[in-house]
Amino acid sequence: MKFYSTNNPNHQVTLREAVLRGLAPDNGLYMPLQIPELPKKLFKALPELSFQEMSLLVAKSLLGDDLPESQLSKIVEHTIEFDAPLVSLGENVFSLELFHGPTLAFKDFGARFLAGLLGYFAEQQSREVAILVATSGDTGSAVANGFLNVPGTRVVVLYPKGKVSEIQEKQFTTLGSNITAVEVAGTFDDCQRIVKQAFLDKALQEKLFLTSANSINIARLIPQSFYYFYGWSRLRTNVPVVFSVPSGNFGNLTAGLFAKRMGLPIHHFVASTNINDVVPSYLQSGLFEPRTSNATISNAMDVGNPSNFARMLDLFGHSQQHMLGEISGFGFSDEETKHAMQQVHREFDYVMDPHGAIGYLGLKKYQRDHANTVGVFLETAHPAKFKETVDATLSASIAIPDRLADFLHREKKVVEIGNDFGELRGCLIT
Ligand SMILES: *Cc1c(COP(=O)(O)O)cnc(C)c1O
């Protein structure tokens, strides 16, 4: 498969280049040149296949020419090591739980697949691949856990001192092995600036094969299409299926669009956001107006300029009308989010995290006018990741799963630096 830049269809690169670069040199995002449609009869057989088996089929049809099948299946098996169960909440509403991975959020899928691919590319060259990530919390933990002990790779996570929660911090500062956590005396913006400087440093680039693992990397998107197939196959329904996707940078929703282009019979998508609703606004007005984000209780979705919107525009030939044919968009306030969490807890004894709750709200709103549908919302994080908000909203104390609690007992190890690049350079080169 070749990949082209959304800014220039003539700029085409291999999978290896697209993954190692992340962003195209013209600042475009990489897109697969074709999205191959799977044979119709395959969809009938999907309910009989395991999550891993169908993921491998999808991966092979996209990347079968880019790496040996044995490698691809190893990577897929490592990615899909945990389940993504569907939980029924009344008639025609299902939660697709994507939080059963090591860091309890769907980002584990993308991080693990990317780690597998980069590990494979690292094996083919002499230099170590160093992954630099600036994080305000969640991305760092998913990436660090995804790359833990992957030979030929080393991860350096930069984070702002005192600005991430204890549980988030413990998930990337206690791993050791090939993971280094760097505590920066500064803000998240300082961390991002330092990472950018590292990428401009020629001497550093000669010593290390530097790459980033941010959410625009096409390798993080591809595995996110797997669970649409899995969720759909477990519904076993003939009624039109709708997926509601709680969205921030719109990677998850874009992966759903890939699945649909591969032939998966998804009737419609709902782009569900918090008050940072630039995409729902675009769907209404045809105007895309990025703005600075506002803080909400679904903070992983506080994005004012969603990076994957460029991919969505590309898929729909920059036509608002075409996009509207497949996607509806709604934004919700924190009050509405909390109310939905309370209502679902009362009615079904089910605890949603604030992000999943936005997905639920979007689905219910769509179904009000489209009753004859089966709806799935993506539950993108375990509620214990947002324990304070969830406990306060439900007047309860929800349990912390063992795999999250385990991190709290481990010892934090970090390299402390001021907020300048020189110190980071020093610790990268030694
Ligand atoms: C990152 C994240 C999202 C948003 O996903 P996008 O692919 O950026 O739209 C939603 N929920 C949670 C819990 C997240 O961590």
Side-chain angles (χ1 to χ4, degrees):
M1 176 71 69
K2 281 273 169 54
F3 295 84
Y4 66 89
S5 164
T6 50
N7 283 344
N8 176 9
N10 295 320
H11 169 81
Q12 295 180 6
V13 299
T14 61
L15 174 68
R16 183 192 150 85
E17 252 182 287
V19 171
L20 287 171
R21 277 194 182 151
L23 199 66
D26 60 9
N27 285 330
L29 276 69
Y30 285 115
M31 288 288 279
L33 197 54
Q34 295 112 24
I35 301 182
E37 219 176 303
L38 296 168
K40 284 266 181 302
K41 64 174 195 304
L42 187 103
F43 293 97
K44 287 213 173 67
L46 280 188
E48 316 309 327
L49 299 184
S50 71
F51 191 7
Q52 280 188 346
E53 286 167 338
M54 75 179 75
S55 300
L56 186 58
L57 276 178
V58 176
K60 267 201 321 209
S61 85
L62 279 165
L63 309 177
D65 295 336
D66 301 280
L67 61 170
E69 182 170 343
S70 60
Q71 286 292 337
L72 192 55
S73 54
K74 209 171 89 184
I75 294 169
V76 169
E77 278 161 23
H78 169 73
T79 305
I80 311 295
E81 259 179 359
F82 39 86
D83 198 17
L86 271 180
V87 176
S88 164
L89 300 177
E91 232 181 288
N92 295 341
V93 174
F94 293 85
S95 165
L96 182 63
E97 295 186 343
L98 302 177
F99 55 68
H100 294 271
T103 72
L104 295 91
F106 80 92
K107 290 192 173 68
D108 283 327
F109 287 98
R112 292 164 77 84
F113 194 76
L114 174 64
L117 276 181
L118 281 178
Y120 168 69
F121 295 138
E123 263 172 36
Q124 300 179 310
Q125 57 171 42
S126 51
R127 271 177 308 171
E128 186 179 52
V129 174
I131 297 99
L132 277 188
V133 222
T135 188
S136 53
D138 273 354
T139 300
S141 56
V143 170
N145 281 273
F147 281 84
L148 182 61
N149 297 324
V150 174
T153 71
R154 171 174 167 202
V155 174
V156 179
V157 180
L158 282 82
Y159 73 102
K161 183 183 170 92
K163 295 197 175 62
V164 303
S165 73
E166 187 195 0
I167 185 70
Q168 284 181 324
E169 186 178 34
K170 285 275 172 108
Q171 287 179 86
F172 56 79
T173 58
T174 61
L175 296 166
S177 183
N178 61 331
I179 313 297
T180 306
V182 177
E183 190 177 61
V184 177
T187 61
F188 174 62
D189 292 335
D190 291 324
C191 298
Q192 279 197 307
R193 173 179 48 79
I194 293 171
V195 167
K196 279 193 186 136
Q197 279 174 289
F199 283 103
L200 296 173
D201 189 304
K202 288 271 184 305
L204 195 59
Q205 297 267 15
E206 269 163 32
K207 286 208 68 140
L208 292 168
F209 202 116
L210 276 187
T211 184
S212 80
N214 56 20
S215 65
I216 47 103
N217 201 300
I218 187 73
R220 284 184 51 173
L221 228 54
I222 288 169
Q224 289 173 214
S225 62
F226 302 164
Y227 43 72
Y228 287 90
F229 284 83
Y230 185 54
W232 178 86
S233 75
R234 271 23 182 195
L235 288 170
R236 296 168 185 264
T237 180
N238 294 319
V239 176
V241 173
V242 177
F243 275 92
S244 172
V245 187
S247 296
N249 270 317
F250 283 81
N252 233 348
L253 196 133
T254 303
L257 294 170
F258 284 3
K260 185 170 182 185
R261 296 294 162 98
M262 293 179 85
L264 188 67
I266 297 175
H267 175 70
H268 202 73
F269 290 94
V270 183
S272 302
T273 70
N274 56 34
I275 53 166
N276 297 290
D277 61 351
V278 287
V279 171
S281 299
Y282 166 83
L283 287 165
Q284 274 206 333
S285 68
L287 297 175
F288 182 60
E289 297 176 309
R291 47 178 193 258
T292 48
S293 63
N294 290 303
T296 72
I297 58 169
S298 46
N299 61 330
M301 298 171 13
D302 293 347
V303 179
N305 188 5
S307 50
N308 282 290
F309 190 64
R311 287 192 167 112
M312 294 168 66
L313 281 176
D314 193 77
L315 283 168
F316 291 104
H318 292 256
S319 157
Q320 175 213 10
Q321 278 314 311
H322 288 167
M323 202 185 286
L324 266 178
E326 293 184 39
I327 308 176
S328 299
F330 307 113
F332 300 95
S333 68
D334 281 355
E335 282 317 303
E336 290 170 299
T337 308
K338 289 183 200 169
H339 187 254
M341 289 163 68
Q342 288 161 351
Q343 183 228 323
V344 165
H345 187 232
R346 236 185 358 253
E347 239 176 276
F348 303 105
D349 199 23
Y350 185 76
V351 179
M352 301 190 295
D353 97 286
H355 305 79
I358 298 258
Y360 173 82
L361 280 166
L363 180 60
K364 293 300 269 190
K365 187 155 179 170
Y366 178 81
Q367 285 185 320
R368 229 171 282 156
D369 300 324
H370 303 85
N372 188 30
T373 54
V374 170
V376 178
F377 69 92
L378 305 190
E379 181 39 295
T380 47
H382 192 290
K385 283 199 98 159
F386 304 92
K387 184 168 165 54
E388 265 179 39
T389 306
V390 174
D391 281 356
T393 304
L394 303 182
S395 308
S397 175
I398 57 161
I400 298 182
D402 290 346
R403 62 192 190 288
L404 189 57
D406 281 348
F407 282 109
L408 286 169
H409 306 305
R410 297 196 211 157
E411 193 194 340
K412 164 180 160 182
K413 284 206 193 77
V414 296
V415 176
E416 290 182 56
I417 67 168
N419 66 1
D420 85 38
F421 167 62
E423 282 178 80
L424 175 73
R425 192 172 192 279
C427 64
L428 282 175
I429 282 187
T430 54

